[in-house]
């Protein structure tokens, strides 16, 4: 059975897509159905006979919808979830329609050129060293992994060890120095690279979760041998930035490597209002940042930025006689990411940068930070509600009365469905976490959501 081009099917999907997005603002933001219910519903894939394609697509929609969260909605504040802009979705559709295997530049000049254009634009936007290479990865987790692989190879090379030839066994021990509140995905990347807890030195952080520069300097003094330091631009709970200038000075003196996890926070560099938070981060050696968070591209989209292109390519390059190699003037996409075959991630990124321009990006990021402060103002007015962090960016964490009450408020807000927020533990307390990062969020959405949170708090307080 082969499915011919069915323009009716594509037209139907386009109509459905427009209606689905038009409904985002007023749809419940939490899913209706549970995971267990959805597992039951989806268990019908394998039958002896196939079914007509258009029926299967209709079936997929009917089955999936109850178990979908409105993550693209304007009042979805859980985790750090971008809005998946419709123009970028259109570019993403074209990416699938064109079906380019974006491994190398000879096979697909356009997909490779889009990445090269985005590389230059992103380095300009973030004001990072213009010679840096960028790998287009699935997310910041893989972007950090990629950057840290380059770091591992380079710090060992400086210690006289060729990891490509000798491997990890018997190599000089590498120490990882990082903040006590580094993002969990950093530890995942380190695990894939062969580093464990014993290879890490944790540095104390201040009240907002940023590394203390003095503590970092002390930690660096106490370690011998090759070092990779990891800092963050945008703490997952507070949005805090580490003191990069001071960290970078210490790192340079040791000829160590400094990586910065800037999954969402790096975008502050693209604004006049919040750029100062990231002062000095240009002195680092590598940076990871997502497109599918603040740039509003659909998943999967992130950037592994490495100042030393040779170190980056050494750690990722795939060589085979049937694959064209890259040269200084022709960038092979697969030289900078773990994958060979993959989608053309540059098209959606190119589209969003072109659509918003420098000013559009800056205004959006600045607006979200103002909306986060508005949330803090509205919530902090009410007795029993505590904003736990200094709101420096777009993230805030809120405590309601006690840990149990905070959990109850989160559950009520989710059940109510007007907005969506999740919980976390921070500084030994249960908190509600709010991330403002969807381009469609308005001040009215903030007001409605704050009202829903306060109504939930009122109900929880009365019940106790
Ligand atoms: C989201 C996030 C990550 C992980 O990014 P993914 O795109 O989910 O892989 C890493 N670090 C921080 C600070 C994040 O917010």
């Amino acid at each position: 059975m082969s499915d011919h081009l069915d323009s009716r099917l594509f037209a139907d999907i386009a109509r459905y897509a427009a209606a689905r997005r038009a409904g985002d603002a007023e749809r419940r933001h939490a899913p209706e159905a549970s995971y267990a219910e959805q597992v039951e519903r989806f268990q019908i894939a394998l039958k002896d006979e196939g079914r007509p394609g258009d029926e299967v697509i209709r079936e997929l929609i009917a089955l999936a919808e109850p178990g979908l969260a409105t993550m693209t909605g304007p009042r979805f504040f859980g985790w750090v979830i971008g809005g998946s802009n419709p123009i970028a979705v259109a570019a993403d559709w074209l990416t699938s329609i064109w079906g380019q295997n974006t491994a190398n530049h000879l096979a697909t000049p356009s997909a490779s050129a889009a990445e090269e254009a985005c590389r230059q634009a992103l380095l300009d936007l973030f004001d990072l060293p213009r010679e840096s290479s960028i790998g287009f990865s699935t997310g910041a987790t893989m972007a950090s992994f990629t950057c840290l692989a380059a770091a591992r190879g380079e710090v060992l090379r400086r210690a006289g060890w060729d990891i490509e030839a000798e491997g990890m066994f018997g190599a000089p021990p590498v120490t990882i120095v990082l903040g006590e509140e580094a993002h969990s995905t950093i530890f995942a990347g380190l695990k894939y690279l062969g580093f464990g807890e014993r290879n890490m030195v944790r540095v104390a952080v201040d009240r907002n979760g940023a590394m203390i520069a003095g503590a970092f300097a002390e930690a660096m003094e106490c370690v011998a041998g090759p070092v990779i330091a990891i800092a963050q631009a945008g703490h997952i709970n507070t949005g805090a930035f580490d003191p990069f200038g001071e960290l970078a000075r210490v790192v340079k003196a040791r000829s160590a490597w400094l990586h910065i996890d800037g999954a969402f926070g790096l975008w502050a560099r693209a604004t006049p209002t919040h750029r100062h938070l990231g002062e000095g981060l240009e002195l680092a050696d590598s940076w990871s940042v997502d497109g599918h968070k603040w740039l509003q591209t659909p998943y999967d989209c992130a950037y592994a930025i490495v100042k030393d292109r040779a170190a980056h390519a050494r750690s990722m390059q795939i060589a085979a006689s049937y694959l064209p190699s890259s040269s200084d003037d022709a960038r092979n996409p697969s030289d900078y990411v773990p994958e060979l075959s993959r989608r053309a991630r540059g098209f959606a990124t190119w589209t969003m940068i072109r659509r918003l321009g420098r000013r559009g990006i800056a205004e959006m990021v600045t607006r979200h930070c103002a909306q986060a402060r508005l949330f803090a103002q509205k919530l902090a007015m009410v007795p029993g509600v505590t904003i736990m962090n200094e709101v420096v960016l777009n993230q805030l964490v809120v405590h309601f009365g006690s840990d149990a009450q905070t959990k109850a408020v989160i559950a009520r807000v989710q059940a109510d469905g007007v907005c969506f927020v999740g919980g976390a533990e921070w500084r030994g307390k249960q908190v509600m976490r709010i991330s403002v990062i969807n381009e469609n969020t308005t001040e009215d959405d903030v007001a409605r959501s704050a009202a829903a949170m306060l109504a939930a708090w009122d109900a929880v307080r009365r019940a106790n």
Side-chain angles (χ1 to χ4, degrees):
M1 177 184 64
S2 84
D3 287 311
H4 301 292
L5 172 64
D6 182 346
S7 62
R8 203 166 27 110
L9 174 64
F10 283 163
D12 286 350
I13 288 297
R15 251 193 310 279
Y16 168 79
R20 165 92 195 165
R21 285 300 180 89
D24 274 354
E26 294 314 318
R27 191 183 312 107
R28 224 183 104 81
H29 273 43
E32 302 275 357
S34 70
Y35 170 66
E37 287 165 337
Q38 291 305 88
V39 167
E40 188 98 344
R41 290 199 179 112
F42 272 97
Q43 287 306 348
I44 55 171
L46 187 59
K47 304 273 190 192
D48 284 340
E49 300 304 325
R51 284 168 59 78
D54 54 345
E55 281 178 32
V56 174
I57 292 297
R58 274 199 295 276
E59 196 177 24
L60 173 63
I61 291 172
L63 286 174
E65 275 195 332
L68 299 176
T70 306
M71 292 189 180
T72 50
R75 295 181 302 282
F76 197 95
F77 305 109
W79 305 288
V80 186
I81 304 265
S84 189
N85 176 286
I87 305 299
V89 170
D92 207 52
W93 285 3
L94 291 172
T95 300
S96 294
I97 294 295
W98 290 331
Q100 301 294 289
N101 182 332
T102 308
N104 73 73
H105 66 273
L106 288 179
T108 175
S110 289
S112 309
E115 288 193 6
E116 172 55 20
C118 292
R119 182 188 72 84
Q120 295 176 24
L122 289 167
L123 294 175
D124 248 6
L125 264 174
F126 299 136
D127 194 14
L128 294 178
R130 302 304 194 270
E131 72 273 25
S132 306
S133 48
I134 302 190
F136 288 66
S137 70
T138 50
T141 304
M142 287 313 285
S144 280
F145 162 75
T146 301
C147 292
L148 293 170
R152 184 186 64 171
E154 180 58 21
V155 298
L156 282 173
R157 200 183 63 78
R158 287 178 200 166
W161 187 265
D162 177 354
I163 194 171
E164 280 76 40
E166 309 289 337
M168 274 285 267
F169 295 107
V174 176
T175 307
I176 310 293
V177 178
L178 77 182
E180 254 169 12
E181 297 189 2
H183 195 266
S184 54
T185 56
I186 288 292
F187 298 98
L190 289 170
K191 185 166 69 175
Y192 315 151
L193 289 164
F195 294 108
E197 283 291 332
R198 294 241 183 89
N199 313 122
M200 299 179 201
V201 175
R202 310 278 190 109
V203 175
V205 295
D206 67 15
R207 292 190 55 225
N208 224 30
M211 259 196 274
I212 297 168
F216 178 80
E218 268 171 43
M220 290 289 284
E221 260 171 43
C222 296
V223 296
V227 174
I228 301 171
I230 305 173
Q232 64 185 355
H235 183 292
I236 191 69
N237 289 322
T238 67
F241 283 55
D242 289 331
F244 306 115
E246 286 157 287
L247 306 191
R249 258 193 302 283
V250 175
V251 168
K252 295 286 161 212
R254 278 290 306 263
S255 75
W257 182 291
L258 178 59
H259 172 69
I260 294 176
D261 172 7
F264 59 96
L266 201 66
W267 293 98
R269 288 274 291 187
T271 71
T273 49
H274 291 75
R275 190 194 150 95
H276 63 278
L277 293 172
E279 208 51 63
L281 68 70
E282 68 281 1
L283 301 170
D285 299 282
S286 60
W287 307 262
S288 44
V289 56
D290 271 313
H292 59 220
K293 286 178 180 171
W294 237 330
L295 190 60
Q296 316 291 321
T297 70
Y299 298 103
D300 309 317
C301 201
Y303 320 110
I305 311 176
V306 180
K307 185 177 168 194
D308 180 343
R309 185 176 69 85
H312 193 172
R314 261 201 309 275
S315 63
M316 290 292 140
Q317 210 157 36
I318 300 165
S321 59
Y322 68 90
L323 296 172
S325 56
S326 50
S327 59
D328 280 351
D329 50 5
R331 174 190 176 281
N332 250 352
S334 66
D335 288 347
Y336 305 100
V337 285
E339 310 106 321
L340 181 62
S341 303
R342 65 170 172 89
R343 67 193 287 98
R345 299 196 178 98
F347 291 133
T349 297
W350 186 93
T351 301
M352 279 316 288
I353 294 174
R354 183 87 174 128
R355 168 79 185 89
L356 292 171
R358 234 186 243 283
R359 186 174 314 143
I361 291 170
E363 281 173 1
M364 174 176 61
V365 170
T366 296
R367 185 171 72 245
H368 289 148
C369 296
Q371 288 170 343
R373 289 195 304 275
L374 184 62
F375 253 124
Q377 274 165 22
K378 287 184 181 296
L379 296 174
M381 285 190 318
V382 174
V385 183
T386 313
I387 308 302
M388 300 283 290
N389 65 312
E390 186 195 338
V391 183
V392 291
L393 202 69
N394 65 322
Q395 304 283 115
L396 60 156
V397 277
V398 192
H399 188 72
F400 296 86
S402 67
D403 282 359
Q405 286 177 315
T406 303
K407 274 192 186 157
V409 171
I410 295 167
R412 268 184 176 271
V413 169
Q414 289 182 358
D416 166 57
V418 166
C419 66
F420 188 94
V421 282
E425 253 188 50
W426 188 57
R427 317 232 99 187
K429 282 202 160 137
Q430 176 68 46
V431 292
M432 170 196 276
R433 198 168 69 191
I434 303 174
S435 174
V436 188
I437 196 156
N438 181 307
E439 62 176 338
N440 297 316
T441 303
T442 62
E443 280 193 12
D444 182 56
D445 288 314
V446 172
R448 274 176 71 183
S449 303
M453 292 166 193
L454 292 173
W457 167 230
D458 200 46
V460 166
R461 204 171 33 178
R462 279 166 205 275
N464 287 244

